[in-house]
Amino acid sequence: MKKNNSYRYPKTQREKIEGKRHYVFDTEKLPSVTTILDATQPEEKKKSLADWAARIGEEAAEKIKSEAAVRGTAMHKILEKYVLEQGYLDETSVGKQAHNMAIQVIQSGLSNVTEFYGTECTLYYPGLYAGQTDLVGIHKGQDAIIDFKQTNKPKRREWIDDYFMQLSAYAMAHNILFNTQITKGVVMMCSKDNYYQEFIVEGEEFKKYAHNFLRRVDEYYKARSEKIG
């Protein structure tokens, strides 16, 4: 995989506002893509998550979420260093597990990426939102936004609408910043037992998720203006 220097991505400056992640660009402080999605989560999804936590206990639920976050961070760092050809070894038990997961992503997913424009790329849509995508590159001949995901167990496609909205949000930001026409997103996912899954969203389906995300953006700002008064 070779580096393509076509684009210069903004530097990352983050700030917490009321406990929520925002990105700072000159005078703008924009909510992150995940901040918007979390704030506009459908009631059905909130209830499902609350029911799960109640079923196994709050303490157990927090432990599972915390372990998954640590494992995901470790896997992301290994993959970032691989793309940059810097090499990285994490000898902790979590690191070893994350390393095995990363190998699956490299062999089954990144093997289809011939060039990359940037890794851990900060992107923003002026006045609306910002975020950081794991990789922007050429996947099977097409420009694509690529995100790496860890999971405790394999996922069904219908369960990961939020991931597709994230990808479309990053693509829209990239398109407005750099006058590109990216309409493809790739989720490269590996479970903790090393099962690799890949989900591609493109074309009309990609446009659908872009529209869905923009509706969530409208919902977010409407709720915020009502809160301010």
Side-chain angles (χ1 to χ4, degrees):
M1 192 191 315
K2 65 179 180 178
K3 179 77 163 68
N4 184 316
N5 295 307
S6 295
Y7 312 114
R8 291 186 65 185
Y9 296 103
K11 289 184 178 178
T12 304
Q13 283 186 281
R14 295 176 183 163
E15 185 177 311
K16 287 283 183 75
I17 300 176
E18 295 179 0
K20 304 298 181 183
R21 182 185 295 171
H22 286 66
Y23 288 79
V24 181
F25 303 95
D26 297 325
T27 57
E28 281 194 309
K29 294 182 180 179
L30 300 174
S32 72
V33 169
T34 50
T35 291
I36 290 171
L37 289 173
D38 286 346
T40 58
Q41 213 172 61
E43 290 303 320
E44 180 186 348
K45 187 170 182 180
K46 288 182 190 174
K47 184 179 183 304
S48 175
L49 289 170
D51 289 348
W52 169 75
R55 191 165 60 249
I56 68 169
E58 292 291 342
E59 191 175 331
E62 282 305 314
K63 185 169 184 268
I64 289 170
K65 287 190 281 186
S66 176
E67 288 174 351
V70 171
R71 190 166 52 243
T73 298
M75 187 186 82
H76 275 75
K77 187 166 185 178
I78 292 164
L79 289 168
E80 180 191 1
K81 296 297 184 182
Y82 168 80
V83 170
L84 296 174
E85 296 184 335
Q86 293 177 356
Y88 175 73
L89 199 59
D90 184 340
E91 290 291 351
T92 65
S93 58
V94 171
K96 289 175 182 176
Q97 187 178 39
H99 179 78
N100 291 333
M101 294 163 67
I103 287 172
Q104 299 303 316
V105 175
I106 290 165
Q107 290 178 344
S108 301
L110 289 177
S111 58
N112 292 312
V113 180
T114 50
E115 296 180 42
F116 75 99
Y117 300 111
T119 180
E120 297 297 316
C121 304
T122 295
L123 298 165
Y124 68 100
Y125 197 109
L128 291 182
Y129 63 85
Q132 193 172 53
T133 188
D134 297 329
L135 190 67
V136 184
I138 301 176
H139 179 267
K140 294 185 178 179
Q142 285 180 280
D143 284 354
I145 303 292
I146 300 163
D147 259 6
F148 309 129
K149 302 291 185 184
Q150 83 84 39
T151 182
N152 289 334
K153 59 183 181 180
K155 294 272 196 291
R156 292 182 184 171
R157 189 180 181 91
E158 59 266 29
W159 296 350
I160 59 170
D161 280 4
D162 277 13
Y163 293 168
F164 294 146
M165 280 190 277
Q166 281 180 28
L167 293 170
S168 66
Y170 299 143
M172 286 188 286
H174 199 286
N175 291 343
I176 199 165
L177 286 177
F178 301 108
N179 195 30
T180 48
Q181 299 292 328
I182 299 175
T183 57
K184 180 180 183 181
V186 184
V187 176
M188 296 183 180
M189 181 186 292
C190 190
S191 65
K192 63 182 182 179
D193 60 355
N194 299 326
Y195 181 72
Y196 179 78
Q197 291 176 282
E198 186 168 287
F199 301 93
I200 296 174
V201 60
E202 57 190 335
E204 290 304 311
E205 188 184 26
F206 191 93
K207 290 178 187 175
K208 180 191 80 172
Y209 282 109
H211 292 149
N212 289 349
F213 178 72
L214 290 175
R215 277 195 284 271
R216 298 279 283 268
V217 172
D218 286 343
E219 191 181 329
Y220 173 83
Y221 280 104
K222 183 180 178 183
R224 200 173 76 162
S225 64
E226 288 172 354
K227 183 180 177 183
I228 293 170

